[in-house]
Amino acid sequence: MYPRRTIAVIMAAGLALGQISTAQESEQEMPHQHLQPDVAAMIDLLKEGGHVLVIRHERTNAWLPDDADFDIANCATQRNLSVAGAANATENGGVIRYLGIPIGDVFASPMCRTLETGRLMFRNVEAAPALLGYMQEQDEVRDGFTDLILAGAGQAENTALVTHLGTFSFMFGGHLAEGDAAVFSVENGEPHQLGVIPANAWNDAVIDATIRDRAKSEQHSGHEHDHN
């Protein structure tokens, strides 16, 4: 016959093991989420369309700045995408398509790094001087940029605007790292920023989507096995 204290210890250990087992089963049912919840929520909103992505161009060759008298039509006089930046833009565009996020109009500053980011991510892009910001009247930039967001938010698909940090900060304050995307809706007739999707978050998004798809496939396969 075990002493009462020994029995209590055995019961406590059994309860703890049961809790660990339940937690492990729960973890198997609910795969780890790599994305931050607010970022995941924004990506889900984008799947519905009717939003605007304001994207800072992808990574650049930072040690090769724009020439003091750069030519907007001559990429050799500008700071351009690095090898990593071009690869990131291509990969993130592929993730956006994989996730089923609808993209309609794509506009970019007429600088080479912004146009290339737009082409690599979305394949088609149209130059929009208001997204450049440099060498323009402030009211012209503000009105043109705002009009693009208001028009984009009214579309069935999402609109993408590729711009520069200086232009984004002038318009909305805050900061975007190279490749980051701010998500906008329209509230009371004005642009409303919902948050920022970091450039590297798209990779986490596809990891989470792949894990979910695999879990669903395995669950479906298990149900079919149960019925056989």
Side-chain angles (χ1 to χ4, degrees):
M1 194 73 177
Y2 291 113
R4 289 184 179 179
R5 180 174 295 182
T6 302
I7 293 173
V9 170
I10 293 172
M11 291 178 64
L15 179 61
L17 287 172
Q19 290 174 338
I20 292 172
S21 177
T22 301
Q24 289 174 338
E25 290 175 2
S26 176
E27 186 176 350
Q28 290 174 353
E29 294 171 2
M30 299 290 292
H32 175 71
Q33 186 83 6
H34 293 78
L35 281 177
Q36 291 292 328
D38 59 331
V39 175
M42 281 188 288
I43 289 177
D44 285 340
L45 281 176
L46 290 173
K47 294 177 182 178
E48 301 173 5
H51 292 80
V52 178
L53 281 167
V54 177
I55 304 166
R56 183 182 173 190
H57 59 77
E58 258 293 352
R59 289 175 58 180
T60 57
N61 290 314
W63 58 88
L64 297 174
D66 297 323
D67 290 353
D69 55 348
F70 71 88
D71 180 356
I72 197 78
N74 184 356
C75 295
T77 66
Q78 303 174 32
R79 186 175 98 247
N80 297 308
L81 295 190
S82 64
V83 173
N88 289 346
T90 302
E91 186 174 84
N92 287 345
V95 171
I96 288 170
R97 288 185 287 276
Y98 176 84
L99 295 175
I101 295 173
I103 301 293
D105 293 331
V106 179
F107 298 97
S109 155
M111 295 286 281
C112 293
R113 55 183 174 270
T114 40
L115 287 170
E116 186 176 11
T117 297
R119 279 194 296 266
L120 292 174
M121 288 188 74
F122 307 112
R123 299 173 180 168
N124 297 311
V125 62
E126 181 178 342
L131 299 177
L132 172 60
Y134 309 141
M135 305 172 296
Q136 294 172 284
E137 293 292 333
Q138 291 185 348
D139 288 344
E140 181 183 355
V141 174
R142 186 178 291 108
D143 291 346
F145 207 132
T146 300
D147 287 346
L148 287 171
I149 293 179
L150 297 182
Q155 304 298 316
E157 299 174 305
N158 300 292
T159 296
L161 309 178
V162 188
T163 188
H164 306 268
L165 174 59
T167 313
F168 178 85
S169 297
F170 163 74
M171 285 293 300
F172 310 108
H175 179 82
L176 289 179
E178 291 183 324
D180 285 358
V183 179
F184 282 82
S185 62
V186 171
E187 293 186 7
N188 300 318
E190 296 292 334
H192 175 68
Q193 185 176 336
L194 301 177
V196 173
I197 300 175
N200 61 355
W202 296 109
N203 193 55
D204 282 341
V206 79
I207 291 172
D208 286 343
T210 302
I211 290 173
R212 284 196 302 269
D213 291 346
R214 185 181 302 158
K216 289 177 183 178
S217 176
E218 290 174 353
Q219 186 179 28
H220 179 71
S221 176
H223 286 322
E224 285 187 344
H225 180 74
D226 291 341
H227 290 305
N228 290 337

